């Protein structure tokens, strides 16, 4: 009997623990802090009543929410984060517009992002209630195309393709450095966009080594963190089995540069002596891979009434290469293309004479470290 009672008690405790873990159960103050951080970029000062009133005026243009402080805070909290199914939350709507406008969904505060969209679309920042400004932008940018929110589960192991936003080099990389990425292809579940292209992600350099004598190559290892979904839900990322297989497949198909920063350069021989090893040099925009660590429920968005010919238009437009425009440091076109900007391919070779001698004997092999969250590579003769 006692054992049965203990078993029942443990079962109840486990159930309660699961219920607690599944619900955020944020306090009133925590909700206000989160909303302010998302909207302004930081929490505000003053009494909570004053802060909630200021948020209400900013979002709605006047005092519209009523009731207790908890009810007011909950109403604003749901305006910013809540996806009703028939429409998108404020943050999801701004993500949607950046995705459609530029394909770069930034992590800046909503106010900053809305200002930038208005500048780009209208040429000036508009005043008024933030919700009204977002609605006007949606109408101007998307017209009558309606998007609705829909709950989907991103399966564990789903490949997420990303491009690095900063150049990486094993000469200067330091353990602990943060590396920024942007999703390069939409992650779609059914007909729902779960993670839009352009969503930003971060990783940390967990191992960095410069090249050295006797053919010692440079090395960079990166551990990924999370990427935001369409509704800003964080999706944990790892280098899992599917990622490793994809790296092996693409490296064999399109060359060593497919694995970007996680492949080491070849070792060359000159006159029977080892030459200096190669540093890992990864330009901005190199494609890198990770995968969803767990099954993750998110609120994606889905277009309603999208024209049928959009898919065929995308097929045709995919072959158009848009030239890069000059930036502050680049004023001359490259000799190879006449386009502005850096179009140098990834080169993982060392001394040119050494490469000539080893063209027939060297084979680039992607080797994965035992850690599930790290990946590296070697080159074997």
């Amino acid at each position: 009997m006692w054992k049965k009672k203990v078993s029942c008690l443990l079962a109840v405790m486990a159930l309660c623990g699961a219920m607690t873990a599944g619900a955020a159960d944020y306090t009133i103050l925590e909700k206000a802090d989160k909303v302010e951080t998302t909207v302004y970029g930081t929490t505000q000062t003053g009494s909570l009543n004053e802060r909630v009133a200021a948020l209400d005026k900013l979002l709605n243009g006047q005092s519209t929410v009523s009731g207790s402080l908890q009810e007011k805070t909950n109403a604003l909290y749901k305006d910013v984060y809540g996806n009703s199914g028939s429409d998108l939350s404020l943050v999801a709507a701004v993500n949607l517009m950046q995705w459609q406008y530029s394909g770069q969904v930034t992590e800046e505060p909503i106010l900053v992002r809305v200002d930038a969209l208005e500048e780009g679309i209208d040429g000036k920042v508009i005043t008024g209630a933030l919700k009204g400004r977002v609605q006007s932008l949606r109408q101007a940018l998307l017209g009558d195309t309606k998007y609705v929110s829909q709950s989907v589960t991103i399966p564990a192991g789903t490949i997420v393709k990303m491009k690095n936003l900063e150049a990486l080099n094993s000469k200067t990389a330091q353990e602990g450095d943060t590396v920024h990425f942007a999703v390069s292809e939409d992650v779609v579940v059914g007909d729902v966009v779960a993670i839009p292209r352009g969503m930003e992600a971060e990783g940390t350099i967990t191992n960095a080594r410069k090249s050295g004598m006797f053919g010692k190559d440079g090395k960079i290892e990166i551990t990924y963190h999370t990427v935001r979904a369409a509704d800003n839900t964080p999706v944990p990322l790892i280098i899992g089995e599917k990622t490793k297989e994809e790296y092996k497949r693409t490296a064999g198909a399109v060359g060593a540069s497919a694995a970007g920063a996680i492949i080491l350069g070849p070792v060359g021989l000159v006159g029977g002596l080892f030459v200096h090893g190669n540093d890992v040099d990864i330009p901005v925009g190199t494609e890198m891979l990770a995968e969803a660590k767990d099954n993750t429920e998110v609120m994606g968005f889905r277009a309603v009434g999208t024209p049928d010919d959009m898919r065929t238009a995308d097929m045709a437009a995919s072959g158009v290469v848009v030239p890069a425009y000059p930036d502050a440091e680049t004023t001359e076109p490259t000799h190879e293309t006449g386009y502005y900007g850096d179009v140098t391919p990834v080169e993982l070779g060392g001394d040119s004479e050494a490469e000539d001698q080893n063209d027939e004997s060297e084979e680039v092999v992607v080797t994965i470290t035992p850690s599930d969250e790290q990946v590296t590579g070697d080159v074997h003769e």
Side-chain angles (χ1 to χ4, degrees), residues 323-324 332-341 343:
E332 296 296 331
T334 63
H335 296 298
E336 292 83 355
T337 64
Y339 294 160
Y340 287 90
V343 295

Side-chain angles (χ1 to χ4, degrees), residues 10-37:
L10 291 174
V12 171
M13 292 174 64
L15 178 60
C16 292
M19 293 173 62
T20 302
D25 197 24
Y26 296 122
T27 66
I28 297 172
L29 182 58
E30 287 173 331
K31 289 178 180 177
D33 286 344
K34 286 180 179 292
V35 170
E36 287 177 337
T37 301

